[in-house]
Amino acid sequence: MGILLAIAGFTFGGILVTAVWFVYLLVKSYAGKSVNSPEYAPVKGTVFQQMLYFNRLYDHHTQLARSHRTFRLVGPSCSHLYTTEPRNVEHVLKTNFHSYSKGRYNQEIITDVFGHGIFAVDGDKWKQQRKLASFEFSTRVLRDFSCSVFRKNAEKLVAVVGDAAGRAFDVQDVLMRCTLDSIFEVGFGVELRCLEGSSKEGGEFMKAFDDASALTYWRYADPFWRLKRRFNLGAEASLRSNIRTIDDFVSHVIATKRRTTAKVRVLYIYIWVRLAYVRRILYVRYY
């Protein structure tokens, strides 16, 4: 009986602490956010509401945007601003891009998946990586190669969609497979064959990357994600497993590419030496 009472006490205490914590987060979310001020975008809820609509999150955001093209979801530390207004999008992504950094809040959330790449950094690091990427993609050889890859995979995509005529299929999944095939072939010279479904490793990588992206976005709605990451629980445990799968696959691809490049380099050196040797023999015989 004492054990049951202890279990019940711990359970009730946990529920009570969780409820109090959520109330505190809600109060903190709305406090000082100028909820009714016409100078700010209207508030359509809190970031925690996204947990209720997570499986249809894009539809939920679209529904909210139909009533207000720009709106806010408030949170304890900051508000999340959403906009479908073309002028706002142009202002953020083009005319005043330098004023909108990712910031430490976003970087803390996405760094586990994207590391310190161009998608997760700001300032000089971003400029350096963008300059490097722009230089690489501005070369004619890469442009021609990437165009041929995109055309080839576009033809495969048309074939896959054609085969699925008359039945339901996941468009996002098909487009994801096509995109990954194109990016990896252009970036690493490796054909994943995700669109064809013939590569087991490529399929596992694609699923891990897709799940990791969704779980990373889940952090924006989950106030306990840091605690879960600390103790490797729930969604954070799944995210860590997916990141491990991604890292292992990419490391394998890079190592394979390096070995292939090294073999090609050795072959070039061998051919060059042989040609030099032949030229020397011909030179000696001629003179």
Side-chain angles (χ1 to χ4, degrees):
M1 188 67 179
I3 296 177
L4 293 177
L5 289 175
I7 294 175
F10 277 116
T11 303
F12 177 76
I15 294 174
L16 181 62
V17 170
T18 303
V20 171
W21 178 249
F22 264 110
V23 171
Y24 166 76
L25 291 177
L26 288 175
V27 172
K28 190 176 180 181
S29 296
Y30 282 98
K33 295 298 194 305
S34 303
V35 175
N36 298 318
S37 175
E39 297 181 2
Y40 296 90
V43 174
K44 303 297 291 184
T46 69
V47 294
F48 307 121
Q49 289 176 267
Q50 297 179 106
M51 300 173 70
L52 302 176
Y53 303 97
F54 195 75
N55 291 331
R56 50 181 298 273
L57 191 58
Y58 299 125
D59 295 330
H60 175 61
H61 286 166
T62 301
Q63 186 177 356
L64 293 177
R66 284 173 179 161
S67 58
H68 293 90
R69 302 189 72 171
T70 301
F71 61 91
R72 285 184 294 161
L73 297 179
V74 294
S77 58
C78 63
S79 296
H80 295 186
L81 184 68
Y82 297 82
T83 183
T84 58
E85 176 62 49
R87 291 178 300 175
N88 294 339
V89 175
E90 182 181 13
H91 174 77
V92 173
L93 297 182
K94 182 180 178 181
T95 57
N96 206 28
F97 178 76
H98 62 277
S99 298
Y100 295 91
S101 62
K102 299 173 184 69
R104 295 182 62 182
Y105 172 75
N106 290 307
Q107 288 174 341
E108 184 183 9
I109 289 176
I110 66 178
T111 296
D112 286 344
V113 173
F114 295 105
H116 298 284
I118 192 171
F119 297 109
V121 295
D122 287 320
D124 293 336
K125 289 184 178 180
W126 181 87
K127 291 179 181 178
Q128 180 184 5
Q129 295 193 39
R130 184 182 183 278
K131 184 177 181 180
L132 179 62
S134 298
F135 174 77
E136 291 293 335
F137 280 93
S138 64
T139 59
R140 182 173 181 179
V141 174
L142 184 58
R143 284 203 309 271
D144 293 343
F145 175 67
S146 60
C147 286
S148 65
V149 170
F150 291 138
R151 289 195 193 97
K152 178 182 68 175
N153 288 326
E155 292 174 358
K156 292 181 181 179
L157 177 63
V158 171
V160 170
V161 174
D163 293 339
R167 57 184 176 85
F169 66 96
D170 190 342
V171 176
Q172 183 177 351
D173 177 70
V174 173
L175 294 178
M176 177 75 167
R177 291 173 182 272
C178 182
T179 302
L180 284 178
D181 282 350
S182 301
I183 290 176
F184 263 78
E185 188 168 356
V186 172
F188 297 101
V190 176
E191 294 188 36
L192 288 185
R193 302 185 186 278
C194 291
L195 194 58
E196 302 170 10
S198 58
S199 172
K200 179 181 178 182
E201 294 80 6
E204 291 176 350
F205 167 79
M206 185 199 70
K207 184 179 184 306
F209 185 80
D210 200 28
D211 291 346
S213 300
L215 291 170
T216 298
Y217 197 86
W218 175 259
R219 287 179 169 182
Y220 284 99
D222 186 359
F224 303 109
W225 72 266
R226 293 180 182 85
L227 185 64
K228 292 178 180 177
R229 182 178 64 175
R230 177 67 179 83
F231 294 101
N232 196 31
L233 299 173
E236 290 299 314
S238 299
L239 178 59
R240 183 172 297 182
S241 176
N242 288 318
I243 291 175
R244 189 181 303 113
T245 300
I246 294 170
D247 289 344
D248 291 344
F249 179 81
V250 173
S251 297
H252 174 71
V253 169
I254 293 175
T256 302
K257 187 64 177 178
R258 284 177 174 173
R259 286 195 297 269
T260 304
T261 304
K263 291 179 181 178
V264 172
R265 187 180 295 113
V266 170
L267 179 61
Y268 282 160
I269 293 174
Y270 173 76
I271 294 174
W272 182 83
V273 171
R274 293 294 297 177
L275 289 175
Y277 178 72
V278 171
R279 284 200 301 268
R280 180 177 177 82
I281 292 177
L282 292 176
Y283 177 82
V284 171
R285 288 182 177 179
Y286 181 77
Y287 289 100

